[in-house]
Amino acid sequence: MAQQDLESIIIGCKKGDQACFSQIVDLYGKRCFGYFYRLTGNREVSEDLLSELFVKLVEKIAGYKGGSFNGWLFAMASNIFYDHLRFKQRQSRLLDEHKRRLEFESLTVKNLPGDEADKIQAALGKLDADVREVILMRFYSQLSFKEIADSKGEPIGTTLSKVHRGLKRLRELMGGSEL
């Protein structure tokens, strides 16, 4: 395709012309899919990344200032791929952390008398998910308040407040017994 034709298609895209966006998809869809597929080795993930790329293209086409459209588009594709990798790594870390917490919790609960462990588990289940999470992070995973606040992306005062409220609620749910 001639550079002049591509420029007129891009101008049409900037004006919101759906036919021009379709032409861009026709021109670059297979190449971008191939790029994602070679990076991921997974057809479904590649299709998802390709869809995300073209959504971003619609959102960001107004910011294209000229130069190599191929370079601009594939830089965006690269960023989408690296965002995908970072997301997978975060997911993996969270799953590993959750697995460790569950293993530690099961070890800790096994050391308590049966009725007491069941009462604690039932009481924890009645807490708000966010409050339960910070309590588990603090007492089962043994994270510091600062580590919890950092992982949750919140001020340390908020974390302290959640733990305080959560422990108070646990005491109420367990009939005032010591935790």
Side-chain angles (χ1 to χ4, degrees):
M1 166 172 278
Q3 183 65 26
Q4 189 174 18
D5 293 337
L6 180 59
E7 288 174 11
S8 64
I9 292 171
I10 292 169
I11 290 169
C13 288
K14 286 182 176 186
K15 292 179 182 177
D17 184 340
Q18 294 300 319
C20 291
F21 281 114
S22 292
Q23 286 180 307
I24 293 285
V25 170
D26 290 343
L27 288 170
Y28 289 96
K30 287 181 182 177
R31 284 179 53 202
C32 291
F33 176 82
Y35 171 75
F36 288 132
Y37 187 74
R38 282 187 288 284
L39 289 170
T40 66
N42 184 304
R43 179 172 285 287
E44 287 181 21
V45 171
S46 299
E47 289 170 354
D48 289 345
L49 295 175
L50 182 65
S51 295
E52 189 176 338
L53 174 64
F54 286 121
V55 167
K56 288 270 192 217
L57 174 75
V58 170
E59 293 172 352
K60 301 205 179 266
I61 191 71
Y64 173 69
K65 304 293 185 208
S68 169
F69 184 75
N70 286 337
W72 182 80
L73 183 65
F74 279 91
M76 196 172 3
S78 177
N79 289 337
I80 288 170
F81 173 70
Y82 283 107
D83 287 346
H84 166 75
L85 284 182
R86 282 188 288 273
F87 176 76
K88 281 181 60 175
Q89 289 171 343
R90 269 193 312 272
Q91 251 185 341
S92 178
R93 279 194 309 268
L94 288 173
L95 288 173
D96 289 346
E97 179 182 323
H98 185 67
K99 181 181 172 187
R100 281 191 304 273
R101 245 190 274 153
L102 289 175
E103 289 170 353
F104 183 77
E105 181 178 332
S106 68
L107 291 173
T108 305
V109 168
K110 285 178 186 174
N111 294 333
L112 293 173
D115 292 340
E116 195 66 24
D118 291 341
K119 279 178 76 174
I120 290 174
Q121 192 62 39
L124 282 169
K126 292 178 182 176
L127 296 176
D128 292 337
D130 195 40
V131 172
R132 179 176 51 246
E133 181 183 18
V134 295
I135 287 177
L136 291 174
M137 291 171 97
R138 176 69 180 133
F139 296 102
Y140 288 110
S141 297
Q142 300 180 344
L143 297 178
S144 71
F145 291 113
K146 180 167 179 16
E147 290 171 324
I148 296 168
D150 289 346
S151 73
K152 302 286 287 168
E154 60 190 21
I156 194 165
T158 303
T159 300
L160 290 167
S161 177
K162 285 179 186 177
V163 171
H164 175 74
R165 282 193 324 263
L167 291 175
K168 182 178 176 184
R169 180 71 180 129
L170 276 174
R171 283 186 197 98
E172 291 169 2
L173 291 168
M174 295 190 61
S177 64
E178 284 297 313
L179 295 178

